[in-house]
């Protein structure tokens, strides 16, 4: 029985090491190669087969600086300085979730990229473990600028709408390069539930949140903040 157990453990160890090496290689390649899409897009397609998905990749310089700083202000204000995890935010979320039915997340932009590009949507601890691995690899192998570029090109902004170019065209009839601070703040305000809220027809809640985001964009230093991401 012991030799069999030892053999199983050895095989398991080799599989784990193999997976880590493979994931490392894939993340390294995506430092230069444009992702074909995301696992989130695959999951959405499987569950909503009849919906046509819209996505057009745009490089960093083809995206408005306003939306870059808007999503940072809305989602992850420590983005330039952390190594993939905001432990203070995680602790606050854990304390909140212990006493409230409405679950609050604390994922950084890096974690959201890891989840959307590589993994399946769920709240399991197994998924979180894989997410942590990919997040660490992203932080090690990509610049912050590359991480934000991939995030903006993969994030969901409505039913079948993926990436900032598709969202800009769909909601405001402009390219991602021409987004104004007002439009950018409305798009960023809908990110917690993009299939429920419409940035082109915002309710009072979204309007107030967009105003808060614009204030935060100014507090962060606006476009000057982006210089930290190179």
């Amino acid at each position: 029985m012991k030799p069999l157990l030892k053999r199983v453990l050895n095989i398991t160890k080799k599989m784990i090491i193999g997976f880590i090496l493979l994931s490392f290689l894939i993340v390294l390649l995506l430092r230069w190669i444009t992702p074909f899409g995301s696992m989130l897009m695959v999951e959405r397609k499987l569950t909503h087969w009849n919906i046509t998905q819209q996505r057009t990749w745009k490089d960093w310089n083809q995206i408005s600086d306003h939306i870059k700083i808007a999503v940072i202000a809305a989602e992850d204000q420590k983005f330039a300085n952390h190594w993939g995890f905001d432990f203070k935010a995680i602790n606050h979320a854990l304390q909140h979730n212990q006493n409230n039915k409405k679950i609050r997340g604390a994922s950084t932009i890096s974690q959201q990229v890891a989840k959307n590009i590589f993994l399946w949507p769920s709240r399991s601890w197994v998924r979180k473990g894989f997410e942590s691995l990919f997040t660490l690899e992203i932080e090690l192998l990509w610049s912050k600028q590359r991480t934000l570029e991939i995030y903006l090109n993969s994030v969901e902004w409505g039913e079948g709408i993926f990436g900032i170019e598709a969202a800009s065209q769909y909601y405001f009839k402009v390219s991602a390069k021409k987004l104004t601070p007002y439009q950018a703040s409305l798009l960023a305000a809908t990110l917690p539930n993009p299939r429920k809220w419409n940035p082109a027809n915002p309710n009072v809640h979204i309007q107030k949140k967009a105003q808060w985001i614009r204030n935060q964009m100014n507090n962060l230093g606006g476009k000057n903040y982006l210089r930290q991401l190179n």
Side-chain angles (χ1 to χ4, degrees):
M1 197 60 189
K2 286 185 178 181
L4 178 60
L5 179 60
K6 186 176 181 180
R7 184 180 178 186
V8 170
L9 291 175
N10 284 335
I11 293 173
T12 302
K13 182 172 70 174
K14 289 179 180 179
M15 289 177 64
I16 293 173
I17 294 173
F19 176 82
I20 292 173
L21 292 175
L22 178 61
S23 66
F24 190 92
L25 176 61
I26 292 172
V27 174
L28 177 62
L29 290 174
L30 290 183
R31 179 173 177 170
W32 302 284
I33 298 173
T34 299
F36 75 93
S38 68
M39 288 302 295
L40 178 62
M41 291 177 68
V42 173
E43 190 273 339
R44 293 288 191 251
K45 191 63 177 177
L46 291 175
T47 55
H48 300 84
W49 188 257
N50 295 326
I51 294 178
T52 301
Q53 294 185 344
Q54 304 173 48
R55 177 180 181 265
T56 302
W57 177 273
K58 289 294 179 179
D59 293 332
W60 179 260
N61 293 329
Q62 297 174 303
I63 301 172
S64 166
D65 287 343
H66 300 307
I67 189 61
K68 297 169 187 172
I69 191 66
V71 296
I72 291 172
E75 297 287 293
D76 185 4
Q77 294 192 13
K78 297 180 181 178
F79 176 65
N81 302 311
H82 64 60
W83 275 83
F85 306 93
D86 185 343
F87 293 105
K88 186 175 181 179
I90 291 172
N91 184 53
H92 286 164
L94 288 173
Q95 292 179 2
H96 174 272
N97 296 341
Q98 286 178 351
N99 303 311
N100 295 272
K101 293 182 179 181
K102 188 176 181 180
I103 300 299
R104 176 185 295 174
S107 293
T108 63
I109 286 175
S110 303
Q111 288 176 279
Q112 292 182 54
V113 171
K115 176 181 66 177
N116 291 343
I117 296 294
F118 302 109
L119 301 171
W120 63 95
S122 80
R123 292 187 178 275
S124 70
W125 287 107
V126 173
R127 207 292 316 276
K128 273 293 182 184
F130 285 118
E131 178 186 305
S132 298
L133 172 63
F134 279 108
T135 299
L136 290 172
E137 292 174 346
I138 285 170
E139 288 290 326
L140 179 63
L141 298 173
W142 297 354
S143 67
K144 291 288 187 176
Q145 180 174 304
R146 178 60 169 170
T147 303
L148 186 59
E149 180 184 45
I150 290 181
Y151 173 82
L152 287 169
N153 278 288
S154 61
V155 68
E156 184 178 33
W157 252 301
E159 202 71 69
I161 303 168
F162 294 89
I164 188 57
E165 179 65 17
S168 300
Q169 295 286 356
Y170 183 82
Y171 292 114
F172 300 116
K173 311 302 181 186
V174 299
S175 69
K177 180 70 174 177
K178 295 184 178 181
L179 284 169
T180 66
Y182 179 73
Q183 292 168 337
S185 66
L186 287 171
L187 284 164
T190 65
L191 284 177
N193 199 337
R195 292 191 290 170
K196 176 182 177 181
W197 294 319
N198 185 334
N201 185 26
N203 59 25
V204 173
H205 169 72
I206 293 301
Q207 291 178 28
K208 289 182 178 178
K209 186 173 181 181
Q211 178 61 62
W212 177 85
I213 290 172
R214 290 194 294 276
N215 292 338
Q216 296 302 305
M217 290 165 67
N218 292 329
N219 291 340
L220 289 172
K223 296 179 182 180
N224 290 329
Y225 181 97
L226 300 176
R227 296 175 183 173
Q228 305 175 64
L229 308 186
N230 294 328

